[in-house]
Amino acid sequence: MTTRTVRLGPLSVKMYCAIGMIAVSWAQLEDMVSLCMSRLLGTDHTEFLPIASNMQVKARFDALKSIAGLRLPADEAKALIARCDEALELGRERNKILHGSWIQGETDDVAIRLNYRAHGRISADAPVISAREIAEISDRITMLTEAFAQALQRLGLLDPKNPMRSPVRPPEKTAGA
C-alpha cells in the first residue's frame, strides 16, 4: 500500500483556481445552451431566460436536442445533438469536481478528491487529481461552448459583436402576398 501525504487546511490557490475554472466554464455553457434554445425557437433571449433559468441542466440539453431535431437540417441537428451528449458526459465530471470533498495533496498542484456513495452499498475512493487535469476538463467545456456559438453563427442566429441582440429575421410571407 502506497502512503500519501496530505496537508491540512485549505486547498492551494492553484487548486481553487482550477475548480473555479470549471464553475465559470460550465456557467458559460449553460448560458449558451439557453441562447441556442431561444434562438432556434425565434424567441427574444431575455424573455426566454425566466424559462431556461428554471430548467434543470439535463432538461435544457434534452430540450435543445428536441428543438434541433425539429428546426435544423439533419446534419446540423446531428452535430448539435452530439455536442449535447458530450456536454452531459462532461457534466458528470463537473459535478464530481464542484461537489467533491477535497483535501490538499503533497504539492500545490494536486489534491485528493474524496468520493463516497451510499446508494444501496457504501463505496469510497480518493483519487489524486492535478490542477492541470481539472483545467483540461474546463478547456473541453469551453470548446463545446464555442462549438455551440459557431453553430448559431453559421445559422445566422448569433452576432459575435453583440450576442444578446436578436438577429434580424426577414418578414414572414403572408397569405396572398
Side-chain angles (χ1 to χ4, degrees), residues 54-95:
N54 283 291
M55 295 173 74
Q56 295 291 325
V57 173
K58 184 176 182 328
R60 287 186 207 188
F61 284 110
D62 289 344
L64 180 55
K65 290 179 351 182
S66 295
I67 296 165
L70 292 170
R71 298 283 173 109
L72 295 177
D75 58 333
E76 284 284 350
K78 184 178 177 181
L80 203 79
I81 290 167
R83 286 185 195 104
C84 288
D85 291 337
E86 184 180 352
L88 288 168
E89 286 296 318
L90 283 170
R92 289 190 238 313
E93 287 302 312
R94 173 248 183 222
N95 290 342

Side-chain angles (χ1 to χ4, degrees), residues 29-57 59-68 71 152 163-164 166-167 169:
L29 177 61
E30 283 187 30
D31 286 343
M32 183 53 67
V33 167
S34 297
L35 183 65
C36 287
M37 285 192 295
S38 67
R39 294 295 162 83
L40 290 176
L41 289 170
T43 305
D44 180 75
H45 185 59
T46 54
E47 293 176 9
F48 184 73
L49 284 175
I51 296 166
S53 65
N54 283 291
M55 295 173 74
Q56 295 291 325
V57 173
R60 287 186 207 188
F61 284 110
D62 289 344
L64 180 55
K65 290 179 351 182
S66 295
I67 296 165
R71 298 283 173 109
L152 285 180
M164 292 303 289
S166 293
R169 294 182 176 270

Side-chain angles (χ1 to χ4, degrees), residues 74-168:
D75 58 333
E76 284 284 350
K78 184 178 177 181
L80 203 79
I81 290 167
R83 286 185 195 104
C84 288
D85 291 337
E86 184 180 352
L88 288 168
E89 286 296 318
L90 283 170
R92 289 190 238 313
E93 287 302 312
R94 173 248 183 222
N95 290 342
K96 289 178 191 175
I97 291 166
L98 290 184
H99 301 294
S101 181
W102 291 92
I103 298 173
Q104 182 61 52
E106 292 181 53
T107 63
D108 282 353
D109 62 339
V110 297
I112 299 166
R113 187 180 69 221
L114 303 176
N115 297 324
Y116 37 85
R117 293 181 51 123
H119 299 281
R121 66 181 181 83
I122 296 173
S123 64
D125 67 344
V128 174
I129 302 170
S130 72
R132 171 179 239 144
E133 290 171 300
I134 294 171
E136 288 170 357
I137 293 168
S138 177
D139 288 346
R140 288 175 54 204
I141 294 168
T142 298
M143 289 184 339
L144 261 179
T145 303
E146 290 171 2
F148 281 114
Q150 289 168 358
L152 285 180
Q153 277 185 275
R154 275 193 310 278
L155 296 165
L157 298 174
L158 178 67
D159 177 357
K161 293 181 181 178
N162 187 357
M164 292 303 289
R165 186 179 64 79
S166 293
V168 177

